[in-house]
Amino acid sequence: MSDQRVIVVGGGLAGITAALDCARAGAEVTLLESRGRLGGAAYSFRRDGLWADNGQHVFLRCCTEYQRLVHELGASEMVTIQSRLDIAVLSPGGRRGRLRRSALPAPLHLAGALAGYPYLNVRERLAVTAAMTALRFVDPDDPANDRRSFGDWLRRWRQDRRAIEAIWDLIVRPTINLTCDEASLAQAALVFRLGLLARTDAGDIGHAVVPLSEIHDVAGRAALTRAGVDVRLRTAAAAIVPAVLGGSPSGGGSDGGGAFTVQLADGGELHAGHVIMAVGPGRAAALLPDGARPDRDAWRRLGSSPIVNVHIVYDRQVLDLPFAAGIDSPVQWVFDRTASAGLSDGQYVVVSLSAADAELGVSGERLRERYLPALAELLPAAREATVRTFFVTRDHAATFRAAPGHRALRPGPQTAQAGLLLAGAWTDTGWPATMEGAVRSGHAAAERVTQRLRAAAAYPRVTVLTPMRLEAWAVRRGAPWADVRRTGIGPKRAARYARAHDHSDAAAVVIAGFCGALDRTLEPGDIVLASELRGPGEAVACADPTILARLLRRGGLRVTVAPIASEPSLVTGPRRRRLAQSGAAAVDLESAWLAPSAGGRPLHALRVVLDTPGRELRNPVTSAAGTAVAYRSLRRAASLLQGWAAMLGDRELVLASPRASCAGVQRAVEIVERAIEQHGAPVYVRRQIVHNVHVVETLRRRGAVFVEEVEEVPRGATVVFSAHGVSPEVRRTADARALNVIDATCPLVAKVHAEARRFAAGGFDIVLVGHEGHEEIEGTVGEAPERTTVIASPEDVARLEVSDPEHVAYLTQTTLAVDETASVVSALRKRFPTAVGPPSEDICYATQNRQTAVRALAGRCDVVLVVGSENSSNSRRLVEVAHRAGCRSLLVEDASQLTADALAGARRIGISAGASAPEELVSQLVAALGGLGVATVSEQSVAEENMRFKLPPEIRQRSD
């Protein structure tokens, strides 16, 4: 059907993201790109034998959507991210400062860096600290803040010229591509709040370790092809012609008609029900049909800001850092791009100049005369180095100008033409013109398309029970597709309705309406989803609302999941306070009496706060204001039910066995728990004890303090080494600091360390199969760094250099995929027939068992859900195992990450969990799926695990 066809115009990050989202939703997607590559403004090219990127595109850890896209493209190993924010700041004469965060909660994590920052005096440091504190309370969404210059705001907070140069411009210029004086206060506030002030690790810097086109073009095309997207390069759109302005499909066209005809530059035509224009503002304005966006002429006022990059190849290493910032120098930032460029001799560095209006018209020779001496001032080693290659790249319109007033000019994804959407970093994502902003815009446009596609599909019937006429109006306005029933106000009418109606034929029943808050933290307009309904009899358990709560929160609503009490009359004053003590968050007059009408189908109660303990209905003014807010909130919530309805249905859940926490993980967690009991809080833990955010947060609440390195642990304190193991150097540092060390290294990882020591003592060159940068690999390499080489693929074997081909040994990371490792070991043995391995497999029993169980699930399920954290190697390998077995598979942190796309077409769902994920997360996922329909649960068992590792002596002795 033409309604299901989507054309995406533009193959940048926004277009790639939108195409993948729409394809996952079941659409037939065609992506048009006028150039011969994908990637848009983030791409690579060949110059003088080098692979060069058009710009030095970095991302922060808070850029979660871009990182998810990279993972979806299968390119996670092509990027790296700092373990913690660490910026070297260079000044002429070789002087170095450093901005490095600590592990303290934000914003205290920056206190040490500012206190020791050498380019500011004490007064300036105090002033910067005060301004950063104040910036946390600047609302980026306030139009008044967008109309104001960030520089003006800084001067109001007594930031002198030096502070602006040394701190504020250092961050604003590369992220917004404007100076502080030119940038909008709202945009700058968002950058600082998201990147530096809200979360400890948000500002950690990541970058590609390969040419950008390897990720955005090569991996992007492969992922789009896997998703079934028809990618057409060198195909330009010339015009978009709607069948009818306002958007109903009509006939016509050689391939079946559609709501839109996309006329191509070569004279051809394509037809589709939806078009996403993921192009720049000028191109979008030219392509848009008349009347689709009356404000398109205003987009020109967004303007543009340039970026200039100066590329230099030296005959030797001059920069001993991956990147650094400059101060008191024309050099803003300098990057080492040697490895990604494919350079084997010398060093390739790039000077990145943002907001480069002054450099844009300067000749390459003049820039050479300016920047080579400037680099020599910052990098003493450059003074004696010979320049082999020098060239300049200029992007005249690298980004839009996020100047005061820009937010009002940025359009949202919607146009007046239904089914015609806009995407691109320049649209109103709230973010500056970054890779993250581009990806988010693609998601926003695709979400509108998928909503329309689902609206046209046959939906499971959702029956919504509303006591009041006003409540029914709100729900019908927001969800015209739903079966909305008005039941009448009060317990008597509710009970009468339940006796007369049986909704067992509905996919789900939702009781929706207003309520009174019992919890004093609730405000009018807040949503309360019932975990249970407490009436005159026994409490009625509601279906698990986790997934519904997530969808409502993503829609901008404040949601609380808690018991709701149903009372026979309005509750005020002392009676309200007594009821609050029972633990219920809200009170209504009907829900408990309406519950029996659900007839055994999933029952949800969605109530919107109308009045609160401090603003009760007895006040007419308060009542009117609260009713208006509650009505809007209920209507908004109803409009979001459609995405949830698409997920409803009865399903079979097949649990893999074994799954979740292995013996090594259980041991490590127990060690930290007992250490806290025995030594008292705080107990320090080097790195994450296991790679699971839920486990880490639980232990943090109990008194664990997680640090990156032992140097951060106070002398003489107790420190636990994580399950992934540490190098001998870390142990020596801990001893030098007189730390009380408790070693939680998994015994199976310790076995690999022992093998590394044995092979090194025997004079072997050690080949370690694993992922560079993983903590387990770092620890194992540390046993014999001069003799160990890390590889990850059969292709790496061909590039191996060893001192004696007859004296090679190999080891493997314990969390790898068995089949993946087998191919690498096979290639090793083929090249080095005498290579020796460990006496038994390094890949641990738990990894093998979980992979075997997932492989069994993949053969019988529509989709396999793996519970685990993004940084968990064993969890990610489970997803890959399912993919290789031909089954769709997704990694989810917990039940809240489930989406309609994840469950699309899935009636039999396999569930497993990585060895670092606790079983309770699996139980929560099963319960959440049960909230969508009847869930029949079975188990696929491939092995029994009875392994139990002993606790270390220092813990056992204190426990005995």
Side-chain angles (χ1 to χ4, degrees):
M1 292 177 60
S2 59
D3 280 358
Q4 297 295 313
R5 287 183 295 183
V6 178
I7 294 175
V8 178
V9 181
L13 295 181
I16 292 170
T17 301
L20 288 171
D21 284 358
C22 292
R24 274 197 305 271
E28 178 186 331
V29 183
T30 300
L31 186 148
L32 308 180
E33 171 54 56
S34 60
R35 290 166 285 203
R37 58 163 179 81
L38 299 180
Y43 66 94
S44 310
F45 59 93
R46 292 284 285 179
R47 174 77 179 261
D48 297 336
L50 297 174
W51 274 110
D53 291 340
N54 73 311
Q56 304 316 298
H57 297 273
V58 301
F59 60 91
L60 305 183
R61 198 180 293 277
C62 64
C63 297
T64 53
E65 297 304 322
Y66 175 70
Q67 292 176 75
R68 287 194 185 99
L69 175 64
V70 170
H71 177 68
E72 186 175 358
L73 300 185
S76 295
E77 306 302 328
M78 299 182 190
V79 299
T80 185
I81 192 165
Q82 294 176 316
S83 58
R84 63 176 54 204
L85 174 67
D86 193 349
I87 301 172
V89 184
L90 314 180
S91 65
R95 185 184 184 192
R96 292 191 177 190
R98 196 176 186 187
L99 290 172
R100 186 172 191 264
R101 73 165 176 86
S102 71
L104 292 172
L108 298 178
H109 65 311
L110 299 174
L114 287 175
Y117 193 51
Y119 302 117
L120 298 177
N121 59 36
V122 174
R123 182 190 61 78
E124 288 165 337
R125 292 172 195 166
L126 292 173
V128 166
T129 301
M132 283 198 176
T133 302
L135 197 58
R136 297 179 71 201
F137 301 99
V138 175
D139 183 1
D141 293 320
D142 185 342
N145 291 331
D146 181 55
R147 292 191 292 268
R148 188 175 179 187
S149 157
F150 186 45
D152 289 344
W153 184 91
L154 288 174
R155 281 183 284 275
R156 180 192 167 203
W157 281 92
R158 300 182 180 178
Q159 303 301 292
D160 60 20
R161 180 172 171 274
R162 183 59 175 173
I164 290 175
E165 289 177 350
I167 286 288
W168 302 104
D169 261 342
L170 199 73
I171 305 300
V172 167
R173 198 158 186 161
T175 54
I176 300 181
N177 200 22
L178 292 174
T179 64
C180 290
D181 281 333
E182 297 170 310
S184 151
L185 169 59
Q187 191 75 104
L190 181 133
V191 166
F192 278 92
R193 287 176 64 172
L194 288 181
L196 290 175
L197 302 176
R199 212 179 74 201
T200 300
D201 63 351
D204 302 342
I205 299 174
H207 60 89
V209 296
V210 298
L212 278 174
S213 286
E214 287 291 312
I215 303 172
H216 302 155
D217 181 25
V218 178
R221 271 188 280 171
L224 289 164
T225 300
R226 287 195 301 270
V229 177
D230 178 12
V231 179
R232 302 191 187 186
L233 300 179
R234 297 186 175 86
T235 304
I240 297 170
V241 181
V244 179
L245 191 63
S248 60
S250 70
S254 60
D255 60 349
F260 299 95
T261 297
V262 177
Q263 297 174 349
L264 305 179
D266 63 8
E269 290 185 350
L270 294 173
H271 305 274
H274 304 80
V275 175
I276 296 175
M277 294 197 302
V279 294
R283 184 82 179 120
L287 286 174
L288 273 175
D290 290 340
R293 284 293 308 210
D295 59 343
R296 63 181 173 181
D297 289 340
W299 300 345
R300 296 189 183 93
R301 301 208 305 272
L302 275 171
S304 62
S305 187
I307 294 176
V308 171
N309 284 275
V310 179
H311 306 253
I312 307 128
V313 177
Y314 290 98
D315 67 342
R316 68 194 70 181
Q317 183 180 18
V318 299
L319 175 67
D320 58 354
L321 299 160
F323 55 82
I327 190 171
D328 300 327
S329 166
V331 175
Q332 295 175 21
W333 287 75
V334 57
F335 295 82
D336 176 13
R337 303 300 294 165
T338 308
S340 65
L343 185 67
S344 58
D345 180 34
Q347 188 174 34
Y348 168 35
V349 301
V350 180
V351 175
S352 181
L353 305 171
S354 301
D357 300 87
E359 288 84 0
L360 199 58
V362 179
S363 69
E365 190 58 37
R366 292 288 301 277
L367 291 175
R368 181 185 181 112
E369 293 171 359
R370 180 182 302 172
Y371 284 96
L372 290 183
L375 279 171
E377 283 290 311
L378 298 182
L379 307 171
R383 297 167 192 169
E384 305 299 324
T386 299
V387 175
R388 291 177 175 169
T389 302
F390 182 98
F391 62 92
V392 178
T393 55
R394 296 172 169 87
D395 191 339
H396 293 250
T399 67
F400 66 84
R401 294 181 67 83
H406 83 288
R407 186 75 182 268
L409 303 175
R410 295 174 71 180
Q414 208 76 47
T415 70
Q417 177 67 52
L420 180 60
L421 288 307
L422 299 172
W426 62 282
T427 61
D428 190 12
T429 63
W431 283 67
T434 58
M435 296 188 295
E436 177 75 4
V439 172
R440 286 175 179 261
S441 76
H443 285 314
E447 184 178 5
R448 269 58 170 196
V449 171
T450 55
Q451 285 175 353
R452 282 173 53 84
L453 291 175
R454 292 179 190 131
Y459 271 91
R461 185 159 67 86
V462 176
T463 296
V464 184
L465 308 180
T466 56
M468 295 172 59
R469 180 178 288 109
L470 184 62
E471 295 162 338
W473 283 347
V475 173
R476 289 189 178 114
R477 290 291 301 275
W481 50 271
D483 173 28
V484 181
R485 310 286 186 93
R486 185 171 168 233
T487 64
I489 302 172
K492 291 183 179 179
R493 290 187 178 92
R496 188 183 308 131
Y497 180 92
R499 288 193 297 269
H501 296 83
D502 176 5
H503 295 302
S504 57
D505 58 341
V509 175
V510 179
I511 302 169
F514 304 143
C515 67
L518 299 174
D519 183 338
R520 287 188 169 273
T521 65
L522 296 176
E523 296 290 334
D526 286 356
I527 306 290
V528 180
L529 290 177
S531 56
E532 65 178 21
L533 298 173
R534 298 175 179 175
E538 292 185 3
V540 177
C542 291
D544 190 296
T546 300
I547 296 171
L548 179 56
R550 174 185 178 274
L551 287 171
L552 296 176
R553 288 178 182 127
R554 285 194 66 186
L557 297 171
R558 292 208 332 162
V559 180
T560 297
V561 177
I564 292 178
S566 292
E567 290 289 300
S569 59
L570 284 176
V571 176
T572 60
R575 189 171 158 212
R576 191 172 198 153
R577 289 192 290 274
R578 286 195 299 272
L579 197 57
Q581 294 172 359
S582 70
V587 59
D588 65 30
L589 302 175
E590 301 91 8
S591 292
W593 287 277
L594 287 172
S597 68
R601 299 306 299 168
L603 171 67
H604 295 268
L606 186 162
R607 290 289 188 165
V608 181
V609 173
L610 178 65
D611 74 324
T612 65
R615 289 177 285 182
E616 293 188 330
L617 283 173
R618 290 176 295 185
N619 184 321
V621 176
T622 299
S623 301
T627 301
V629 171
Y631 176 87
R632 289 194 297 269
S633 188
L634 181 57
R635 179 178 169 182
R636 173 63 177 155
S639 72
L640 297 169
L641 287 178
Q642 189 168 303
W644 172 74
M647 305 169 73
L648 295 174
D650 298 343
R651 294 178 173 89
E652 180 184 352
L653 310 181
V654 186
L655 307 185
S657 178
R659 63 181 176 274
S661 300
C662 64
V665 166
Q666 292 170 357
R667 172 181 180 269
V669 173
E670 185 178 357
I671 286 171
V672 177
E673 291 172 340
R674 292 201 181 198
I676 295 170
E677 292 173 3
Q678 294 174 9
H679 298 278
V683 165
Y684 294 84
V685 183
R686 183 185 181 271
R687 309 283 174 90
Q688 291 188 350
I689 185 69
V690 297
H691 284 160
N692 186 270
V693 296
H694 291 276
V695 171
V696 169
E697 285 305 314
T698 299
L699 293 174
R700 183 178 280 122
R701 287 193 294 270
R702 296 185 63 171
V705 176
F706 293 89
V707 298
E708 288 296 315
E709 302 299 343
V710 292
E711 289 87 347
E712 300 170 48
V713 181
R715 296 185 66 86
T718 297
V719 63
V720 179
F721 290 157
S722 79
H724 306 104
V726 299
S727 67
E729 179 61 30
V730 172
R731 296 182 187 277
R732 287 191 289 270
T733 303
D735 289 343
R737 296 181 63 79
L739 301 181
N740 175 30
V741 173
I742 302 173
D743 192 354
T745 301
C746 173
L748 298 180
V749 175
K751 165 182 168 287
V752 178
H753 281 237
E755 290 161 349
R757 293 192 294 270
R758 179 170 63 85
F759 284 136
F764 286 87
D765 281 339
I766 302 170
V767 180
L768 181 55
V769 183
H771 295 125
E772 191 94 47
H774 191 279
E775 290 164 33
E776 181 184 329
I777 291 295
E778 291 177 354
T780 305
V781 169
E783 297 289 354
E786 71 288 346
R787 306 197 67 88
T788 306
T789 303
V790 179
I791 66 172
S793 68
E795 290 74 25
D796 292 340
V797 175
R799 296 189 286 268
L800 268 176
E801 295 181 5
V802 298
S803 57
D804 182 359
E806 302 299 317
H807 221 52
V808 174
Y810 68 85
L811 298 168
T812 64
Q813 184 177 327
T814 62
T815 56
L816 296 182
V818 178
D819 50 357
E820 183 182 23
T821 307
S823 65
V824 182
V825 172
S826 175
L828 270 172
R829 289 191 175 280
K830 186 174 181 180
R831 183 176 173 194
F832 306 108
T834 60
V836 296
S840 60
E841 287 289 339
D842 286 339
I843 295 178
C844 82
Y845 77 95
T847 297
Q848 293 180 10
N849 288 344
R850 281 151 187 75
Q851 291 176 11
T852 301
V854 163
R855 203 174 288 111
L857 287 184
R860 56 180 295 207
C861 294
D862 301 314
V863 65
V864 173
L865 302 177
V866 177
V867 180
S869 291
E870 186 67 35
N871 65 337
S872 167
S873 175
N874 67 80
S875 299
R876 288 163 60 184
R877 299 294 85 77
L878 292 180
V879 173
E880 293 167 3
V881 166
H883 277 312
R884 284 196 291 271
C887 184
R888 189 161 57 98
S889 184
L890 296 161
L891 180 66
V892 294
E893 193 80 61
D894 52 37
S896 69
Q897 290 193 340
L898 285 178
T899 64
D901 291 340
L903 303 181
R907 285 295 169 257
R908 179 180 289 163
I909 298 175
I911 299 175
S912 185
S916 51
E919 175 66 20
E920 67 186 80
L921 296 180
V922 175
S923 300
Q924 291 169 10
L925 178 61
V926 171
L929 289 168
L932 300 175
V934 176
T936 304
V937 182
S938 62
E939 194 167 71
Q940 172 91 49
S941 180
V942 299
E944 289 189 15
E945 289 183 355
N946 301 306
M947 182 74 72
R948 174 79 179 173
F949 293 133
K950 292 181 179 179
L951 296 174
E954 55 268 35
I955 289 290
R956 291 204 307 273
Q957 291 167 3
R958 295 288 295 272
S959 301
D960 292 342

